[in-house]
Amino acid sequence: MAMPSKVRIFEVGARDGLQNEKQMVPSDIKVELIERLVDAGVRSIETGSFVSPKWVPQMADTADVMAKISRRDDVTYAVLTPNMKGYEGALASKADEIEIFSAASEMFNQRNINCSIAESLERFAPVTEAATAAGIPYRASISCALGSPFDGEEITPAAVADVAKKLYDMGAYEISLGDTIGVGTPLRTKAVIEAVAKVIPLEAVGVHFHDTYGQALANYLAALEMGVSRLDSSVAGLGGCPYAPGATGNVATEDVVYMLDGMGIDSGIDLKKLVRTAWFISDYLGRPPVSSVARALKGKLD
């Protein structure tokens, strides 16, 4: 299968990337991060989540962030909505789209949202029905699609495909396959995508890889070779997962864009502006980016 000539990068740094930071990041810094990403060419961006501040205090200001950002008609501003209360927050903030999520791991689902996979899908039904009625598009993600963080639990490609089909049938325009703990390898990636593409259209398949074992870019290449053109990534490699022991951050957007540029695949993103953005948020957090590209290009930005 031919690789795509163009991809859509869904930038998750402002939500998935920042949500687990121990130091509180002010709304104005989040807004500047989002504005810088948009200026760099990002056209699909996760701006926050409407979840209980008790569980994710870093996202308590999502409504404020949504109110302060400069909206552009050619940019999609998305928020995570785990329930109807979250959906109502998304509606009030005029989010362009919402996100729902489940997992291919029963144990992870219990740790993450305290219910089974089947129960999680039932919980999301009112949200998806309301979004459909309001004409708000929604995407869905599947955590642990390439492996479980818990010993003894096997995640089969067929199990991932089953969850993907159910989410797609609920009306999600995109199903993002998440390697939550970064254990996937290229052949495993291809096997899971192949299984999922048998039950939903390939153009609806997205991927979201963590770089715990240094395999993320190889896995993105494997996905591209399968024809996948929807990629999630996080500026500066921000993020991790509090419910997955040992999980480190998302793959850095600038590393992905550097690879795509070298392959002649259009992402629409200006690499130098993106690297400056990676250093902006990293400097605020008081640590260098984990991104190899951000560190390599730091002295070549001017």
Side-chain angles (χ1 to χ4, degrees):
M1 182 174 292
M3 286 192 291
S5 59
K6 184 176 183 178
V7 300
R8 190 265 3 233
I9 287 183
F10 184 73
E11 170 59 52
V12 304
R15 196 284 300 179
D16 189 24
L18 292 180
Q19 70 172 1
N20 297 322
E21 289 293 331
K22 293 181 179 179
Q23 62 169 306
M24 295 304 293
V25 180
S27 299
D28 288 347
I29 294 295
K30 294 175 184 175
V31 169
E32 184 170 352
L33 173 62
I34 292 166
E35 305 284 13
R36 283 172 174 258
L37 288 165
V38 169
D39 181 61
V42 171
R43 293 296 174 262
S44 296
I45 186 164
E46 191 177 45
T47 54
S49 61
F50 286 98
V51 297
S52 169
K54 175 183 176 183
W55 299 112
V56 190
Q58 190 70 257
M59 293 292 109
D61 62 347
T62 292
D64 187 37
V65 170
M66 291 293 284
K68 290 179 176 178
I69 56 176
S70 304
R71 302 293 184 101
R72 285 180 46 151
D73 292 339
D74 61 344
V75 176
T76 297
Y77 301 92
V79 295
L80 192 70
T81 55
N83 49 39
M84 280 304 295
K85 185 174 181 180
Y87 169 75
E88 289 163 4
L91 200 62
S93 73
K94 296 182 172 59
D96 295 312
E97 69 178 39
I98 64 170
E99 302 170 74
I100 60 174
F101 53 91
S102 188
S105 160
E106 288 286 1
M107 294 176 70
F108 179 85
N109 230 47
Q110 290 288 351
R111 295 282 187 95
N112 193 21
I113 52 178
N114 301 311
C115 66
S116 68
I117 294 172
E119 288 169 338
S120 73
L121 298 177
E122 290 176 7
R123 288 184 185 180
F124 286 126
V127 176
T128 60
E129 290 166 5
T132 299
I136 299 175
Y138 53 95
R139 70 195 295 268
S141 60
I142 302 176
S143 300
C144 304
L146 297 184
S148 171
F150 305 104
D151 291 340
E153 185 184 37
E154 180 184 4
I155 307 296
T156 66
V160 180
D162 180 65
V163 178
K165 179 69 162 60
K166 289 173 179 174
L167 288 166
Y168 184 76
D169 287 347
M170 291 171 70
Y173 78 87
E174 175 183 328
I175 311 297
S176 181
L177 308 177
D179 185 10
T180 311
I181 54 171
V183 294
T185 52
L187 292 184
R188 174 72 174 176
T189 298
K190 289 187 173 184
V192 170
I193 293 172
E194 183 178 22
V196 172
K198 288 179 180 177
V199 297
I200 70 171
L202 180 64
E203 56 266 26
V205 177
V207 287
H208 179 127
F209 298 143
H210 284 214
D211 204 33
T212 314
Y213 290 87
Q215 300 296 297
L217 287 178
N219 292 338
Y220 278 113
L221 177 58
L224 290 166
E225 289 174 343
M226 295 291 289
V228 172
S229 62
R230 297 177 177 273
L231 316 179
D232 292 8
S233 58
S234 178
V235 65
L238 298 173
C241 181
Y243 304 104
T248 51
N250 296 294
V251 68
T253 306
E254 55 272 25
D255 289 355
V256 175
V257 170
Y258 179 86
M259 181 181 78
L260 294 170
D261 285 353
M263 297 170 65
I265 298 175
D266 180 22
S267 69
I269 297 176
D270 182 305
L271 182 59
K272 285 190 174 182
K273 287 185 176 181
L274 186 64
V275 169
R276 290 190 185 98
T277 303
W279 278 102
F280 159 74
I281 190 61
S282 297
D283 285 344
Y284 178 81
L285 295 172
R287 62 175 187 268
V290 299
S291 160
S292 298
V293 169
R295 294 195 303 271
L297 290 183
K298 186 180 183 183
K300 304 177 182 179
L301 295 178
D302 298 322

